[in-house]
Amino acid sequence: YHIASKHALYRADKADPLLSEKRARATIRAAFDLSLELLRTKLGTGAPRLLAGFYTLGHAPPSGVGLDLGCAAAGLAREEWEPMLVQAHRLSLAERSPARPAETSDPAWCVHPLLAQLMRERCSVQEVVQRMTGWFLARLPKSPAGQEADQRKRRHEVQDESDALALWLALLPAEEAGMVSSRAWDFAVSCGPYQVWLAWTGRALSAARDPVVRDSLLWMRANVAVRAGALEEALRAAEEKGRVAQELGWPR
């Protein structure tokens, strides 16, 4: 029983024939609902918008996301996101991820997998992916000459979010493959993770029909495969790229 919220969970009766695994899961869900309702009361007048942002953590990888990517995915400013995470942590709804060192300047935050399941029901994955696309595409492209320091900073930020990168690519709509491959190929070839990019280019190629998009994906796939040591796959991609380029009338 929580005095502040006036909500209660009733003690389970062992003689109840409905007491089963499903009943236990329903009890856990009710407990999460109580905690989320208490968080709502602590967030004040902006609670609906802030809670909507908090629910996006349900779509994060189990290892969590850093503050910067978390803000972007939630559509919130950092001065809103951080205090809310502190409140959620006090209620045992969010925790610092052990996957990232505590002393890092951008700590990662995560939620329990069961809570994440509940939060995903209340948050559109399409909106989260769209916001993540904006965050990643602002950091993946190669910088112009003379901006190498800025490029290193941006690339380190992406590398810190490698689990989120893999998740984002897995959820990325097929129609965005051409845009992503044209902007991300240099990062993919230089930084990896190569198996993640190989898997993504394979999925993207299976859906891509535009020859220009296929050419871009095959170029990326061939180069990533070389870096990954998958030389037979690199050769297949290069040969297919040659055929596509001939169809497009690109002699080079």
Side-chain angles (χ1 to χ4, degrees), residues 51-105:
L51 269 181
F54 180 64
Y55 293 150
T56 63
L57 268 182
H59 292 293
S63 58
V65 292
L67 287 171
D68 199 60
L69 178 56
C71 289
L76 296 174
R78 188 158 180 149
E79 56 268 23
E80 299 173 309
W81 183 244
E82 280 191 284
M84 180 177 61
L85 286 176
V86 171
Q87 291 286 359
H89 180 63
R90 289 172 179 165
L91 296 171
S92 299
L93 288 170
E95 59 182 331
R96 290 280 294 269
S97 172
R100 192 172 299 184
E103 63 273 9
T104 182
S105 59

Side-chain angles (χ1 to χ4, degrees), residues 142-162:
K142 186 176 182 179
S143 297
Q147 298 182 21
E148 289 79 8
D150 177 65
Q151 177 176 284
R152 284 193 296 272
K153 177 181 178 295
R154 289 187 289 108
R155 290 190 168 184
H156 282 311
E157 290 173 347
V158 175
Q159 288 172 317
D160 283 343
E161 303 290 357
S162 57

Side-chain angles (χ1 to χ4, degrees), residues 134-212:
W135 190 90
F136 280 113
L137 290 186
R139 289 159 176 78
L140 288 170
K142 186 176 182 179
S143 297
Q147 298 182 21
E148 289 79 8
D150 177 65
Q151 177 176 284
R152 284 193 296 272
K153 177 181 178 295
R154 289 187 289 108
R155 290 190 168 184
H156 282 311
E157 290 173 347
V158 175
Q159 288 172 317
D160 283 343
E161 303 290 357
S162 57
D163 289 344
L165 173 70
L167 180 65
W168 168 65
L169 289 172
L171 297 172
L172 196 67
E175 59 269 19
E176 296 188 13
M179 174 184 63
V180 172
S181 64
S182 64
R183 299 182 69 175
W185 74 268
D186 186 73
F187 177 92
V189 173
S190 303
C191 305
Y194 303 122
Q195 294 302 326
V196 169
W197 290 106
L198 270 177
W200 176 72
T201 52
R203 291 192 302 272
L205 282 164
S206 68
R209 298 293 177 263
D210 186 328
V212 175

